[in-house]
Every structure is written in structure tokens, then in C-alpha cells.
Amino acid sequence: MKLQLTELIKPAVALAQAYSLRRHELVTSEKSAGQFASEADEAIEVSIRAAIVERFGNVNIIGEEQGGSLSADASGWAIDPIDGTTNFLRGLPMWGISVGLLENGVSVAGVLALPEFNLVIIAEQNAPLYVNGLPFVRPANLIGGRVIALGENDFESGERTDERASKLRAQGYTVVRYRSAVFSLASAALGRLDGYVEHGCMVWDIAAASAICRHAGLKTNALPLSDGRFSIEAIASN
């Protein structure tokens, strides 16, 4: 599956990089307060859906922009064409693409791409983690103190996430917020962060990252909440 996921994500990455060069020209819409989509999000999801069908046939697919149906214990693919659209539109590099495979509601394989950094991370069952096609082992004994990222969304109030940030600081963490679960979880898997926590994200935010973070050796829990939302905690033990 590694080769299939590599080939699947290549056109999406190229498309995202091309759109990023003309981000100021893109047609955008505000889906809800503070939540934006652009023509780039739509085009990238179309590209990924076509690639999945070409390689895996008529399977269940859910995506952030074009919808679909995938219950909490179902099997299928979940797509986030650009996680961190506001960052993308502002020219900040903290955004990513996620394509994850779930079996009976459990993330078993997936690919995360960080196009601004030319990074592609792949996890599949019974195989090592791959970064840009090469086996990858998350480094231990990281320098620079402990850094953890938090997610924010319209499911959990800012006051609650502020409370969590205060508790984490008391445990010796520096707390950052990058406004992209995909970027943050990928960074945790790569050893650039010590973890990520968000309550209330969507399945397409974590479908690939859950498998990738587990493969990286992070203690990873992804649990369904209400209204199709999920809780994700991926934290290094060191």
C-alpha cells in the first residue's frame, strides 16, 4: 500500500503547491464562523477522490468539502484536502493534506503531506513509518524542552482549551497552537513536537494521523464524541 499511497498523494501535493503560489487570487467562502474553504480545497479533494477510486475501486469516502457518510465504526477513506485553510490563505506554512483509511472505525493506514516542507509521511499495517519514501524512526531524547500543541474548534470553548493549556504548562510543557491538526500531528510524529491534543475535531482530521502517530511510537487515543466529532491525544512518553 505504501506505493499506492505515494502515487495517490503526488498529484494532490503538486496541485496544492501550484494553488499556494496564487493564493491571493483564489475564490473563497466562509463555511462557518472562522472556517474557510477555497477553490483549492475543492480541487484537491476531487483529485484525491479520483485517485482512491482508480486504485481501490468503489469504496466509502468521506471528505471535508464534498461530504459522504462514514459512521464511527465503519470502514472507508477520509480526506482533508487542506487542513489549516486559513494558514494556507494567509501564506503561513502550517497546513497539510490528509488521506486516511479506517477499518471498523480504527485508523489503520494513511498519508499526511506537508507541501510547504516537501514532506510526505506514510503509515501502513505491519510496516515501518516512511518519510519521503524512506523508513523513519522518531528521534528520542529531544533537546529544547517539551513542546505540545493544542487544537481549537467550535465544539470546545476557548476557556476549556485555556484550562488545558494551563495544566500542561504546570507539567512543564511549552504550549503552542498552530490551527492545523494535520500539521501538528505530523510534527509530533516527526519528533518536532512532544504531542497534540484536540477535543472536537472531525474524522478527516485524524484518520491518517492516528495511524501515523501510533507508528511513530506516540501514545495515541482517538475516541468518538457526539455529533461526529472526535477527541485525539497523541503524546510522547519521553
Side-chain angles (χ1 to χ4, degrees), residues 20-215:
S20 71
L21 295 176
R22 55 183 191 91
R23 55 172 56 91
H24 298 298
E25 305 171 10
L26 301 181
V27 176
T28 64
S29 61
E30 189 171 10
K31 298 186 292 185
S32 59
Q35 297 295 316
F36 292 86
S38 73
E39 61 183 289
D41 297 73
E42 295 282 355
I44 293 165
E45 184 168 325
V46 168
S47 169
I48 294 170
R49 283 176 177 267
I52 290 173
V53 171
E54 178 183 349
R55 288 164 178 80
F56 300 100
N58 187 21
V59 294
N60 290 329
I61 300 175
I62 188 170
E64 181 173 11
E65 305 308 329
Q66 298 194 329
S69 178
L70 203 62
S71 63
D73 58 353
S75 298
W77 293 86
I79 303 167
D80 196 338
I82 299 179
D83 183 59
T85 298
T86 296
N87 291 347
F88 170 81
L89 292 172
R90 288 290 186 93
L92 294 168
M94 294 84 77
W95 55 276
I97 303 169
S98 174
V99 185
L101 174 63
L102 297 103
E103 291 184 358
N104 301 316
V106 177
S107 173
V108 296
V111 53
L112 297 180
L114 303 182
E116 299 278 8
F117 298 89
N118 293 309
L119 285 169
V120 173
I121 310 169
I122 291 176
E124 61 178 324
Q125 289 181 308
N126 304 314
L129 194 66
Y130 291 95
V131 176
N132 288 351
L134 299 175
F136 176 83
V137 177
R138 188 179 187 274
N141 302 318
L142 302 172
I143 62 173
R146 296 194 299 170
V147 184
I148 193 167
L150 295 184
E152 295 185 0
N153 54 64
D154 58 356
F155 183 86
E156 185 176 63
S157 69
E159 289 80 3
R160 290 287 304 277
T161 59
D162 289 344
E163 289 175 10
R164 185 173 298 115
S166 295
K167 291 178 181 178
L168 288 166
R169 291 189 188 101
Q171 296 171 27
Y173 287 100
T174 295
V175 178
V176 296
R177 308 188 199 205
Y178 292 129
R179 299 289 295 173
S180 170
V182 167
F183 175 84
S184 300
L185 288 162
S187 297
L190 292 169
R192 299 175 180 183
L193 293 173
D194 293 284
Y196 180 72
V197 179
E198 182 175 358
H199 293 177
C201 55
M202 307 302 292
V203 65
W204 46 74
D205 296 316
I206 61 171
S210 295
I212 284 170
C213 287
R214 285 199 312 270
H215 273 63

